[in-house]
Amino acid sequence: MTTSASTSTKTPDMGGASVAHSPGKLILSGEHSVLYGAPALAMALAQYTEVRFVPQGPGAGLRTAFENLSSGVNYPLQLLHKLKSSLDDRFDQFKRGELKVQEILTHPDDLAVYTLASLLQDQDGSTGTSVAGIGAVGHLPHPGQLSSRSSIPIGAGLGSSAAVVAAVTVLFETLLNRHKTLEDRYERVRFCERLKHGKAGPIDAAAVVRGGLVHVGGAGLSVPTVDPSHGLAEGDGWYWVLHGRPDSSTGECVAHVRAHHGSDTALWRAFGTCTDGLAQALSDGSDVRDLLRENHSLLEHIGVVPEPAQDFTRAVSALGGAAKVCGAGSVQGSGGGAILVRLSDSEAMESLMQDHPDKAWSKLRMATTGASAGPAPQMSATIKGQTV
């Protein structure tokens, strides 16, 4: 991985750190169902997106340089508020059925710049009421380059967009010396993420902002303990596999599931029971394989698991393990996105993946902290198979 811009960690004329990072996330159980009030369980993934702001001379505007995302865009500073208003209007058009979810954002870089514009306006995402802006502090916006590097595969259900939003949020909170509470940061990430997915559930934001394991349920947000025997902290017996990038966006999958299963309350209760059971099993050290298989079966039922991904999970089960799609999945094509694997036999896992040399995969390691100022603790995670 490479990064553009300077290696400086300070913004000289603003006095704050110019770099921040956020972990990715992996949903262990509850994708889709969390949007219908069912609990969800996720972990922060120890692969990171790092964002950096380097000030430049007057008149340069804001130049983006997001690795693996786009070739960069120039944003005139005086038009940032208009960009935000325009994207808010497009989101309203989506809610009225006039735009598809993938048409809300007009450029891949817009989400990060919208996050900055939102912070500068300091708008209350729940009421839409403008309050005293943080833009007056630190003399931002300031001409410069906003760049990123990332070890999180894009479009694979590993929280790449939530990580960008969270890292940009922390970066400019720090530059402006206007730090938010974790709850405020969580709400900001959810508010901005709605542009990407149409309806932003709580789990992505909770995982990337708080880190560790997060359980979102009827009682709110909790942080379950994890029995060390499950090895989530170091990846012992746990893996993620990128089984092809989905041909469907998260927003498209959410819309498909809502149209076909949105009113099936018994289905969402079944998801919830499975999720709560998995949280308990991770806490007390009991076997999780049957619960992972059940969760995967429910995802197959709602139509978000392509046939090749189903074949792969069956191959894992034949080896005595369990696997499931994590994230939105896909409602078309062959790519299933990220697959979670629980398989204690590391040699069997190596042998299995030799049959799938085109699939990127790695041990599953938990990030114990969420989005923070400063460089990422590691940007060179060991990923085997195809480069992502």
Side-chain angles (χ1 to χ4, degrees):
M1 298 289 182
T2 60
T3 182
S4 53
S6 164
T7 57
S8 170
T9 59
K10 293 287 184 181
T11 302
D13 54 347
M14 295 177 201
S18 67
V19 62
H21 66 275
S22 172
K25 74 90 180 62
L26 192 75
I27 296 180
L28 305 180
S29 183
E31 50 275 275
H32 289 287
S33 58
V34 70
L35 299 177
Y36 301 94
L41 183 70
M43 60 173 279
L45 185 65
Q47 289 179 224
Y48 297 88
T49 288
E50 187 178 276
V51 297
R52 183 181 300 273
F53 179 77
V54 177
Q56 296 178 343
L62 181 69
R63 172 72 182 178
T64 57
F66 295 136
E67 184 181 74
N68 299 331
L69 191 62
S70 77
S71 57
V73 180
N74 281 312
Y75 292 87
L77 294 179
Q78 66 271 25
L79 297 182
L80 290 186
H81 69 287
K82 290 186 177 180
L83 170 71
K84 182 180 182 303
S85 295
S86 173
L87 291 175
D88 286 337
D89 289 343
R90 293 180 70 83
F91 182 76
D92 289 339
Q93 288 179 274
F94 159 74
K95 290 196 298 183
R96 295 194 298 267
E98 299 168 5
L99 283 180
K100 295 180 180 179
V101 65
Q102 64 269 27
E103 296 173 336
I104 298 173
L105 295 169
T106 57
H107 193 278
D109 297 13
D110 285 351
L111 184 60
V113 179
Y114 177 91
T115 302
L116 169 58
S118 173
L119 284 162
L120 293 172
Q121 184 175 323
D122 206 13
Q123 187 178 63
D124 183 336
S126 61
T127 65
T129 303
S130 294
V131 295
I134 62 176
V137 181
H139 307 293
L140 282 171
H142 188 284
Q145 184 181 70
L146 182 63
S147 62
S148 75
R149 59 177 186 157
S150 182
S151 62
I152 304 173
I154 294 173
L158 297 178
S160 59
S161 63
V164 168
V165 173
V168 168
T169 297
V170 172
L171 175 65
F172 284 99
E173 282 180 19
T174 305
L175 289 174
L176 295 164
N177 196 27
R178 294 290 295 271
H179 300 280
K180 303 293 186 181
T181 65
L182 288 181
E183 182 62 27
D184 287 342
R185 192 175 293 163
Y186 159 79
E187 292 294 346
R188 179 79 64 177
V189 173
R190 281 194 71 183
F191 175 69
C192 295
E193 271 265 279
R194 82 197 195 288
L195 300 183
K196 180 73 173 180
H197 303 311
K199 182 178 181 180
I203 196 67
D204 283 31
V208 302
V209 166
R210 294 179 177 272
L213 194 68
V214 293
H215 187 207
V216 178
L221 179 67
S222 62
V223 183
T225 57
V226 181
D227 188 283
S229 67
H230 281 300
L232 276 177
E234 296 299 329
D236 295 334
W238 292 87
Y239 307 89
W240 64 262
V241 176
L242 183 54
H243 202 272
R245 286 190 172 88
D247 290 335
S248 306
S249 69
T250 297
E252 289 174 305
C253 292
V254 168
H256 173 90
V257 172
R258 183 184 301 118
H260 292 85
H261 302 282
S263 60
D264 191 344
T265 55
L267 173 65
W268 305 128
R269 282 198 300 270
F271 267 104
T273 300
C274 184
T275 298
D276 287 339
L278 181 59
Q280 183 61 45
L282 287 171
S283 178
D284 62 25
S286 58
D287 195 343
V288 300
R289 288 175 296 174
D290 285 345
L291 290 162
L292 293 177
R293 292 169 187 145
E294 179 185 351
N295 185 270
H296 185 76
S297 177
L298 290 168
L299 292 170
E300 287 187 5
H301 175 73
I302 62 176
V304 297
V305 186
E307 186 62 36
Q310 296 181 33
D311 292 340
F312 182 83
T313 61
R314 285 192 285 268
V316 174
S317 291
L319 295 172
K324 66 174 291 291
V325 163
C326 297
S330 187
V331 295
Q332 58 186 346
S334 59
I339 292 181
L340 170 68
V341 175
R342 174 63 167 151
L343 182 60
S344 57
D345 187 339
S346 60
E347 292 184 0
M349 184 66 185
E350 289 277 359
S351 178
L352 172 65
M353 296 314 300
Q354 287 176 7
D355 295 333
H356 300 273
D358 59 326
K359 309 303 182 190
W361 65 287
S362 178
K363 280 189 172 184
L364 181 67
R365 293 182 173 90
M366 181 187 296
T368 57
T369 58
S372 306
Q378 62 179 52
M379 290 296 296
S380 57
T382 302
I383 301 177
K384 302 180 182 183
Q386 181 174 302
T387 302
V388 293

